[in-house]
């Protein structure tokens, strides 16, 4: 099953609830920029991010 990052639009001012659950660091939050980044090279479609973030869709 494939997953795609659809951008962070959860409305949180700080942090990303999904990023800490990414086992490879493909999804990560940069606090200095207050922005979420995604590196698809490191993503292996485990779906852990989907458990905590509604901005990520199947």
């Amino acid at each position: 099953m494939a997953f795609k990052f659809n951008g962070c639009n959860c409305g949180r001012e700080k942090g990303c609830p999904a990023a800490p659950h990414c086992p490879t660091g493909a999804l990560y939050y940069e606090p200095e920029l207050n922005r979420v980044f995604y590196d698809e090279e490191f993503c292996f479609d485990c779906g852990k991010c989907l458990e905590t973030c509604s901005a990520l869709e199947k």
Side-chain angles (χ1 to χ4, degrees):
M1 181 180 297
F3 303 94
K4 72 172 187 172
F5 182 63
N6 195 29
C8 184
N9 57 13
C10 66
R12 292 181 184 259
E13 290 184 19
K14 294 184 180 179
C16 173
H21 300 279
C22 182
T24 64
L27 182 66
Y28 58 98
Y29 173 72
E30 288 290 338
E32 294 170 357
L33 300 173
N34 192 30
R35 187 167 170 209
V36 177
F37 292 92
Y38 170 69
D39 187 339
E40 75 177 280
E41 180 180 332
F42 294 106
C43 181
F44 64 94
D45 302 331
C46 71
K48 297 279 185 189
C49 54
L50 289 175
E51 296 172 8
T52 54
C53 184
S54 62
L56 301 174
E57 301 174 356
K58 289 182 184 180

